[in-house]
PDB file of all heavy atoms in Angstrom:
ATOM      1  N   TYR A 111      22.737 156.019  -3.433  1.00  0.00           N
ATOM      2  CA  TYR A 111      22.284 156.867  -2.337  1.00  0.00           C
ATOM      3  C   TYR A 111      21.784 156.049  -1.143  1.00  0.00           C
ATOM      4  O   TYR A 111      21.044 156.555  -0.307  1.00  0.00           O
ATOM      5  CB  TYR A 111      21.157 157.788  -2.812  1.00  0.00           C
ATOM      6  CG  TYR A 111      21.615 158.732  -3.889  1.00  0.00           C
ATOM      7  CD1 TYR A 111      21.292 158.499  -5.222  1.00  0.00           C
ATOM      8  CD2 TYR A 111      22.407 159.821  -3.585  1.00  0.00           C
ATOM      9  CE1 TYR A 111      21.727 159.336  -6.220  1.00  0.00           C
ATOM     10  CE2 TYR A 111      22.856 160.667  -4.585  1.00  0.00           C
ATOM     11  CZ  TYR A 111      22.517 160.421  -5.895  1.00  0.00           C
ATOM     12  OH  TYR A 111      22.968 161.251  -6.880  1.00  0.00           O
ATOM     13  N   ALA A 112      22.184 154.772  -1.073  1.00  0.00           N
ATOM     14  CA  ALA A 112      21.670 153.854  -0.054  1.00  0.00           C
ATOM     15  C   ALA A 112      21.844 154.383   1.366  1.00  0.00           C
ATOM     16  O   ALA A 112      21.023 154.126   2.229  1.00  0.00           O
ATOM     17  CB  ALA A 112      22.339 152.490  -0.189  1.00  0.00           C
ATOM     18  N   ARG A 113      22.864 155.136   1.611  1.00  0.00           N
ATOM     19  CA  ARG A 113      23.138 155.629   2.970  1.00  0.00           C
ATOM     20  C   ARG A 113      22.690 157.091   3.148  1.00  0.00           C
ATOM     21  O   ARG A 113      23.125 157.771   4.063  1.00  0.00           O
ATOM     22  CB  ARG A 113      24.608 155.493   3.294  1.00  0.00           C
ATOM     23  CG  ARG A 113      25.098 154.064   3.091  1.00  0.00           C
ATOM     24  CD  ARG A 113      25.683 153.494   4.326  1.00  0.00           C
ATOM     25  NE  ARG A 113      26.208 152.151   4.108  1.00  0.00           N
ATOM     26  CZ  ARG A 113      25.562 151.051   4.444  1.00  0.00           C
ATOM     27  NH1 ARG A 113      24.373 151.112   4.965  1.00  0.00           N
ATOM     28  NH2 ARG A 113      26.102 149.867   4.250  1.00  0.00           N
ATOM     29  N   ALA A 114      21.805 157.553   2.298  1.00  0.00           N
ATOM     30  CA  ALA A 114      21.367 158.950   2.345  1.00  0.00           C
ATOM     31  C   ALA A 114      20.630 159.319   3.629  1.00  0.00           C
ATOM     32  O   ALA A 114      20.578 160.478   4.010  1.00  0.00           O
ATOM     33  CB  ALA A 114      20.486 159.268   1.137  1.00  0.00           C
ATOM     34  N   ALA A 115      20.054 158.346   4.317  1.00  0.00           N
ATOM     35  CA  ALA A 115      19.360 158.630   5.580  1.00  0.00           C
ATOM     36  C   ALA A 115      20.338 158.759   6.744  1.00  0.00           C
ATOM     37  O   ALA A 115      19.941 159.148   7.836  1.00  0.00           O
ATOM     38  CB  ALA A 115      18.338 157.539   5.876  1.00  0.00           C
ATOM     39  N   GLY A 116      21.606 158.444   6.510  1.00  0.00           N
ATOM     40  CA  GLY A 116      22.625 158.480   7.561  1.00  0.00           C
ATOM     41  C   GLY A 116      22.678 159.769   8.367  1.00  0.00           C
ATOM     42  O   GLY A 116      22.698 159.730   9.605  1.00  0.00           O
ATOM     43  N   PRO A 117      22.705 160.941   7.720  1.00  0.00           N
ATOM     44  CA  PRO A 117      22.755 162.182   8.496  1.00  0.00           C
ATOM     45  C   PRO A 117      21.543 162.365   9.425  1.00  0.00           C
ATOM     46  O   PRO A 117      21.667 162.872  10.530  1.00  0.00           O
ATOM     47  CB  PRO A 117      22.784 163.278   7.424  1.00  0.00           C
ATOM     48  CG  PRO A 117      23.365 162.607   6.221  1.00  0.00           C
ATOM     49  CD  PRO A 117      22.882 161.190   6.286  1.00  0.00           C
ATOM     50  N   ARG A 118      20.379 161.922   8.981  1.00  0.00           N
ATOM     51  CA  ARG A 118      19.181 162.022   9.825  1.00  0.00           C
ATOM     52  C   ARG A 118      19.280 161.076  11.018  1.00  0.00           C
ATOM     53  O   ARG A 118      18.888 161.419  12.129  1.00  0.00           O
ATOM     54  CB  ARG A 118      17.929 161.711   9.010  1.00  0.00           C
ATOM     55  CG  ARG A 118      17.632 162.755   7.961  1.00  0.00           C
ATOM     56  CD  ARG A 118      16.512 162.290   7.064  1.00  0.00           C
ATOM     57  NE  ARG A 118      16.307 163.200   5.972  1.00  0.00           N
ATOM     58  CZ  ARG A 118      15.203 163.903   5.789  1.00  0.00           C
ATOM     59  NH1 ARG A 118      14.198 163.806   6.638  1.00  0.00           N
ATOM     60  NH2 ARG A 118      15.096 164.721   4.768  1.00  0.00           N
ATOM     61  N   ILE A 119      19.794 159.876  10.774  1.00  0.00           N
ATOM     62  CA  ILE A 119      19.957 158.912  11.865  1.00  0.00           C
ATOM     63  C   ILE A 119      20.985 159.431  12.865  1.00  0.00           C
ATOM     64  O   ILE A 119      20.763 159.385  14.080  1.00  0.00           O
ATOM     65  CB  ILE A 119      20.357 157.529  11.312  1.00  0.00           C
ATOM     66  CG1 ILE A 119      19.233 156.967  10.438  1.00  0.00           C
ATOM     67  CG2 ILE A 119      20.707 156.568  12.443  1.00  0.00           C
ATOM     68  CD1 ILE A 119      19.637 155.771   9.605  1.00  0.00           C
ATOM     69  N   ARG A 120      22.105 159.952  12.357  1.00  0.00           N
ATOM     70  CA  ARG A 120      23.131 160.510  13.255  1.00  0.00           C
ATOM     71  C   ARG A 120      22.584 161.669  14.076  1.00  0.00           C
ATOM     72  O   ARG A 120      22.865 161.790  15.266  1.00  0.00           O
ATOM     73  CB  ARG A 120      24.357 160.947  12.459  1.00  0.00           C
ATOM     74  CG  ARG A 120      25.259 159.789  12.078  1.00  0.00           C
ATOM     75  CD  ARG A 120      26.584 160.252  11.505  1.00  0.00           C
ATOM     76  NE  ARG A 120      26.460 160.928  10.223  1.00  0.00           N
ATOM     77  CZ  ARG A 120      26.283 160.302   9.060  1.00  0.00           C
ATOM     78  NH1 ARG A 120      26.190 158.993   9.015  1.00  0.00           N
ATOM     79  NH2 ARG A 120      26.200 160.994   7.943  1.00  0.00           N
ATOM     80  N   ALA A 121      21.778 162.524  13.459  1.00  0.00           N
ATOM     81  CA  ALA A 121      21.187 163.654  14.195  1.00  0.00           C
ATOM     82  C   ALA A 121      20.274 163.146  15.310  1.00  0.00           C
ATOM     83  O   ALA A 121      20.296 163.675  16.429  1.00  0.00           O
ATOM     84  CB  ALA A 121      20.414 164.560  13.242  1.00  0.00           C
ATOM     85  N   ALA A 122      19.479 162.127  15.021  1.00  0.00           N
ATOM     86  CA  ALA A 122      18.599 161.552  16.044  1.00  0.00           C
ATOM     87  C   ALA A 122      19.417 160.939  17.175  1.00  0.00           C
ATOM     88  O   ALA A 122      19.111 161.135  18.356  1.00  0.00           O
ATOM     89  CB  ALA A 122      17.664 160.519  15.429  1.00  0.00           C
ATOM     90  N   LEU A 123      20.466 160.209  16.824  1.00  0.00           N
ATOM     91  CA  LEU A 123      21.318 159.598  17.849  1.00  0.00           C
ATOM     92  C   LEU A 123      22.013 160.650  18.712  1.00  0.00           C
ATOM     93  O   LEU A 123      22.136 160.489  19.926  1.00  0.00           O
ATOM     94  CB  LEU A 123      22.349 158.666  17.203  1.00  0.00           C
ATOM     95  CG  LEU A 123      21.796 157.393  16.590  1.00  0.00           C
ATOM     96  CD1 LEU A 123      22.881 156.653  15.830  1.00  0.00           C
ATOM     97  CD2 LEU A 123      21.174 156.509  17.651  1.00  0.00           C
ATOM     98  N   GLN A 124      22.463 161.722  18.087  1.00  0.00           N
ATOM     99  CA  GLN A 124      23.083 162.803  18.851  1.00  0.00           C
ATOM    100  C   GLN A 124      22.072 163.436  19.800  1.00  0.00           C
ATOM    101  O   GLN A 124      22.401 163.779  20.932  1.00  0.00           O
ATOM    102  CB  GLN A 124      23.675 163.861  17.919  1.00  0.00           C
ATOM    103  CG  GLN A 124      24.914 163.384  17.217  1.00  0.00           C
ATOM    104  CD  GLN A 124      25.393 164.343  16.127  1.00  0.00           C
ATOM    105  OE1 GLN A 124      24.694 165.288  15.748  1.00  0.00           O
ATOM    106  NE2 GLN A 124      26.577 164.092  15.616  1.00  0.00           N
TER     107      GLN A 124
END
Side-chain angles (χ1 to χ4, degrees):
Y111 297 103
R113 305 238 183 260
R118 292 172 186 244
I119 296 167
R120 281 190 293 282
L123 291 173
Q124 288 171 349

